[in-house]
Amino acid sequence: MPSFLSRRAFLSGAAAVPLLTALPRIAPAAPLNAPFSVGAFTVLPILDGPFGLTREIVPEADSIEGERLVELAGLPKEGPWPVPVNVFAIRRGPRTYVVDAGGGSTMGADLGNAAERLAAVGVDLTKVDAVLMTHLHPDHAGGLFDDKHQAVFPNAELVVQQEEVAFWSDDGSMSRMPSSMEPLFQIARTALGAYQGKVRLVTGMAEAVPGITFIPLPGHTPGHAGLLLSDGNAQFLLFADTIQSALLQFPYPGWTTSFDVDPSLALASRRGILDRLAADGIPVTGSHISERGRIVTRGMGYAMVE
Ligand SMILES: [Zn+2]
């Protein structure tokens, strides 16, 4: 095709979509596709696999605003809207830590690549010192154990919030949740069972390992927490499932997902941490975000920028 034709087609196409010009320009955040440093820490993002969000999972996206965002992103109206499931290996000196473990074999064929991909970047699974858990949902805890329910990180300590373990271990809380959630309880219990004797429970803003501190962000699950890496002046926050859809929840932070155990508490945690990050400029990424960057306020919501 002669180039002027494609250029003309492009121009007329652009003119037909006035919404594009109405949107503020967003300086792109850095893609989460390579190791990066936080002081003496090296963080290796590992993609466990893609997960497809749908309108059933984000009910408020079934709206004019939701349709507009999904359309501008070139995604199908009803979903799936893919988000990554991330695992992080963190190294400092001789120590290796892993944050969350991906879905293992509990979440279908798209997930469960973390163990192989960790090994591929040189992480010896038998030499991981500690696995730090943001929470015990299957896309984070399913990869802790193999098909025989044995620990994938056989010599690691499993560090997790006491409240999180209490919730998933309690038959009372299981009976109060919809029965469709029962498999989630079983997966969390299998994961904890695989690390029997090596589970270290912490409460609140506890230091998980030297330089890495839990930041409680309850609501998504009762013990849901981020992890703040600090070394000298360098800081970086892994805020876990605070945002499960960057596309929808940065502009509309009030939108919750069906995975939130306590949606109003999850919303309060989300607003609270995003406001704090926007004020103090600490860089961040999450378990379901493809970029890392800083949070800025934008309109009624937020954006992530370089
Ligand atoms: Zn998740």
Side-chain angles (χ1 to χ4, degrees):
M1 183 190 288
S3 62
F4 84 92
L5 267 186
S6 52
R7 181 171 159 76
R8 216 175 113 182
F10 169 74
L11 288 174
S12 62
V17 190
L19 281 178
L20 277 174
T21 56
L23 280 178
R25 301 225 173 275
I26 296 173
L32 203 60
N33 57 5
F36 60 95
S37 296
V38 180
F41 291 105
T42 302
V43 182
L44 297 91
I46 304 291
L47 177 66
D48 188 51
F51 181 80
L53 295 175
T54 61
R55 283 222 268 209
E56 286 67 48
I57 297 170
V58 196
E60 283 136 319
D62 190 359
S63 58
I64 291 167
E65 296 87 347
E67 278 183 17
R68 191 181 102 162
L69 287 171
V70 164
E71 191 187 334
L72 284 171
L75 294 169
K77 209 169 164 179
E78 310 287 330
W81 311 319
V83 297
V85 173
N86 299 323
V87 167
F88 300 92
I90 302 176
R91 288 191 152 135
R92 185 194 208 175
R95 300 283 176 210
T96 303
Y97 312 114
V98 169
V99 173
D100 294 339
S105 58
T106 68
M107 294 280 297
D110 285 346
L111 298 187
N113 300 298
E116 203 175 292
R117 291 177 182 172
L118 282 164
V121 296
V123 175
D124 181 343
L125 303 185
T126 68
K127 289 186 179 151
V128 171
D129 296 286
V131 184
L132 318 178
M133 297 303 295
T134 64
H135 62 302
L136 295 177
H137 268 159
D139 53 322
H140 302 253
L144 285 171
F145 56 89
D146 63 19
D147 292 341
K148 297 187 181 101
H149 293 184
Q150 301 298 305
V152 166
F153 306 96
N155 299 308
E157 198 181 24
L158 191 72
V159 192
V160 58
Q161 289 279 322
Q162 186 271 333
E163 242 185 298
E164 186 70 1
V165 171
F167 175 74
W168 296 108
S169 304
D170 177 31
D171 286 339
S173 56
M174 184 160 77
S175 71
R176 284 189 293 275
M177 300 307 287
S179 60
S180 60
M181 273 184 70
E182 227 167 89
L184 278 64
F185 282 81
Q186 299 308 344
I187 290 164
R189 291 170 186 198
T190 302
L192 292 168
Y195 293 80
Q196 208 164 26
K198 286 185 285 191
V199 179
R200 175 157 56 91
L201 300 179
V202 295
T203 306
M205 263 186 66
E207 195 171 48
V209 293
I212 306 181
T213 304
F214 277 104
I215 305 293
L217 298 165
H220 179 62
T221 60
H224 179 255
L227 288 158
L228 180 69
L229 283 64
S230 298
D231 184 43
N233 290 329
Q235 289 190 308
F236 190 93
L237 179 67
L238 299 169
F239 68 19
D241 285 26
T242 294
I243 292 281
Q244 294 148 72
S245 167
L247 173 70
L248 302 171
Q249 290 179 303
F250 276 134
Y252 296 102
W255 292 2
T256 56
T257 72
S258 59
F259 298 130
D260 291 338
V261 170
D262 182 339
S264 58
L265 184 57
L267 173 56
S269 289
R270 180 157 56 249
R271 280 277 189 199
I273 194 68
L274 290 173
D275 282 342
R276 194 181 131 191
L277 290 165
D280 64 15
I282 294 175
V284 66
T285 191
S287 301
H288 303 298
I289 294 182
S290 303
E291 288 90 29
R292 61 187 167 91
R294 291 169 207 281
I295 302 299
V296 292
T297 56
R298 182 155 287 167
M300 302 296 283
Y302 306 87
M304 184 183 264
V305 299
E306 184 94 57

